[in-house]
Amino acid sequence: MGDQPTSQEFHLPLAQITQTPLDCPLRYLDFSGDYAHLGLEYHGAAPFEDITSCELAPPAREPAAVTTPWCVTMLAPAARLAQLQELLRFFAAHDWSVRAVDTLAQRRDRTVLRFQLDAELEFAAAKHACLQLAEKIDADLVLQPGSSQRVPALAGFDMDSTLIDAEVIDELAKITGIGEQVAAITEAAMRGELDFRQSFKKRMALLRGFSEQRLAEIATQLPLKEGAKELLSALRALGCKTAILSGGFTYFADYLQREQLPVDFVHANQLEFEHGALTGGVIEPIVDGMRKRALLQQMADQMGLDLGQVVAVGDGANDIPMLNLGALGIAIHPKPKVRLEAPQSIERFGLDAALYLFGLNDRQIEELG
């Protein structure tokens, strides 16, 4: 057993945070005005000498209002001072002025810091620079317009590998003994190497004869994605309408809506049966990437919403059109192509981490019940 660590809050100018060579666990950072409040846990000598300090403060009840054109949110599984220092140097090198910082989560296994930035930047180039730094410091860095830091009115979700931790069509193929063949087609389609409509028809033809009884059994066994229930329950409590927009099947999406997740609308592909088994055919229209986008736009129009009130969440290449439609397009555990092309992405946490991009902190999320 080693000595107990010292936990202290340091009061210092934001720029001075980068001036210590010592590294230690980071608990929180809050900044507005002239001084930052930096919560650290360390052994031995203090990281900052001759700096005013006090005991760690409790989490803030509400984050500050966003007043800047851009925000970058850092999500780290076990944040350290060195990660913060790298990020602050990155902002300075790009001449992005940090106007405020809020700690949205300060758990042992999750630190979330939101930086309000006053900067003139080109989004695509800035996003890619953030992705490169994210790999270096082992954290998610999410760039978004400041105006998008709000709860949406409509959220569209992909299903396979987004709301559930599986590709249903691959699971069906495994049972019929053609798993590797179908999975290879699926993977190529999700990477954007095959047209989704063509790949969908190929895979369905291979599943001819699969019984409806087995489909019902599989539906009950599909694992939910980490954080799916928490995110959708929170959105319902906040008054946001949600929709499944899936290149998968209504058979399974309807089951999720009915039994497991608070979802308002379902749009997916219909399975064609004959004598209690799949025919191998498809029923038009196929829900591909462009149809997902069109359906989300249609729902927004019907609800009288502007696209600044709409977000989308997905993981594959056929989600890219809808991810680029509204205020935010969040790729969750995305394929490499999608990570580069989606406006925002989260790789190190579950779906519930999206709530931080809507401007909520842990205390507000907990109060939703």
Side-chain angles (χ1 to χ4, degrees), residues 312-329:
V313 184
D315 76 294
N318 67 323
D319 297 317
I320 290 173
M322 75 170 181
L323 292 178
N324 283 286
L325 177 66
L328 292 174

Side-chain angles (χ1 to χ4, degrees), residues 18 45-46 88 135 165 211 216 232 265-266 271 279 328 339:
T18 62
L88 292 175
E135 289 300 306
D165 209 8
S211 76
L232 285 164
F265 311 107
V266 168
L271 291 170
T279 66
L328 292 174
R339 181 174 178 266

Side-chain angles (χ1 to χ4, degrees), residues 224-233 261 350-353 355:
L224 292 180
K225 195 81 163 182
E226 177 190 357
K229 187 167 290 186
E230 291 83 355
L231 174 56
L232 285 164
S233 296
L261 295 174
L351 277 165
D352 57 318
L355 292 166

Side-chain angles (χ1 to χ4, degrees), residues 59-80:
R61 181 160 292 278
E62 293 184 2
V66 174
T67 60
T68 58
W70 299 101
C71 289
V72 166
T73 302
M74 182 183 87
L75 305 98
R80 299 190 64 84

Side-chain angles (χ1 to χ4, degrees), residues 180-196:
E180 290 186 7
Q181 186 178 354
V182 169
I185 299 172
T186 301
E187 187 65 21
M190 293 302 98
R191 290 195 304 263
E193 297 169 3
L194 282 179
D195 173 76
F196 178 82

Side-chain angles (χ1 to χ4, degrees), residues 211-229:
S211 76
E212 186 172 3
Q213 181 179 348
R214 291 292 281 129
L215 291 177
E217 295 171 5
I218 291 167
T220 64
Q221 300 169 12
L222 295 174
L224 292 180
K225 195 81 163 182
E226 177 190 357
K229 187 167 290 186

Side-chain angles (χ1 to χ4, degrees), residues 49-319:
E49 297 180 356
D50 303 321
I51 295 294
T52 301
S53 63
C54 62
E55 293 184 358
L56 295 185
R61 181 160 292 278
E62 293 184 2
V66 174
T67 60
T68 58
W70 299 101
C71 289
V72 166
T73 302
M74 182 183 87
L75 305 98
R80 299 190 64 84
L81 178 58
Q83 292 172 304
L84 172 61
Q85 291 173 322
E86 287 276 5
L87 183 55
L88 292 175
R89 293 188 189 106
F90 171 82
F91 290 150
H94 286 79
D95 199 26
W96 299 351
S97 298
V98 179
R99 297 303 185 197
V101 186
D102 288 288
T103 300
L104 304 183
Q106 56 185 80
R107 313 179 202 172
R108 290 285 174 180
D109 61 347
R110 177 182 299 193
T111 305
V112 180
L113 306 180
R114 183 189 67 190
F115 298 80
Q116 295 194 42
L117 303 178
D118 189 0
E120 293 185 9
L121 55 83
E122 196 279 312
F123 180 77
K127 180 195 72 173
H128 288 144
C130 286
L131 290 176
Q132 289 178 337
L133 179 63
E135 289 300 306
K136 180 179 179 182
I137 68 173
D138 191 23
D140 286 333
L141 295 175
V142 183
L143 174 67
Q144 65 186 108
S147 61
S148 67
Q149 271 269 327
R150 61 173 179 170
V151 177
L154 173 64
F157 291 88
D158 174 49
M159 180 175 67
D160 293 32
S161 295
T162 298
L163 289 177
I164 59 174
D165 209 8
E167 292 285 338
V168 170
I169 201 165
D170 292 354
E171 298 305 309
L172 304 185
K174 289 177 188 175
I175 294 171
T176 58
I178 55 170
E180 290 186 7
Q181 186 178 354
V182 169
I185 299 172
T186 301
E187 187 65 21
M190 293 302 98
R191 290 195 304 263
E193 297 169 3
L194 282 179
D195 173 76
F196 178 82
R197 291 176 58 84
Q198 291 177 334
S199 71
F200 183 73
K201 289 179 178 180
K202 284 183 179 180
R203 288 175 291 174
M204 285 306 303
L206 292 170
L207 293 172
R208 181 177 180 179
F210 199 96
S211 76
E212 186 172 3
Q213 181 179 348
R214 291 292 281 129
L215 291 177
E217 295 171 5
I218 291 167
T220 64
Q221 300 169 12
L222 295 174
L224 292 180
K225 195 81 163 182
E226 177 190 357
K229 187 167 290 186
E230 291 83 355
L231 174 56
L232 285 164
S233 296
L235 288 175
R236 174 155 290 184
L238 291 162
C240 174
K241 297 295 184 181
T242 56
I244 291 176
L245 302 167
S246 176
F249 308 114
T250 54
Y251 191 97
F252 300 99
D254 288 342
Y255 174 81
L256 289 178
Q257 182 188 37
R258 185 174 64 250
E259 301 291 341
Q260 293 191 284
L261 295 174
V263 175
D264 296 294
F265 311 107
V266 168
H267 294 280
N269 292 303
Q270 296 183 55
L271 291 170
E272 186 178 65
F273 294 98
E274 186 175 85
H275 306 303
L278 294 178
T279 66
V282 300
I283 298 175
E284 298 283 354
I286 294 172
V287 179
D288 60 5
M290 292 310 297
R291 182 152 177 79
K292 288 185 182 187
R293 179 186 173 101
L295 287 166
L296 190 57
Q297 174 78 67
Q298 179 181 314
M299 284 187 286
D301 292 344
Q302 291 171 344
M303 295 170 64
L305 302 175
D306 65 65
L307 292 178
Q309 298 171 278
V310 177
V311 304
V313 184
D315 76 294
N318 67 323
D319 297 317

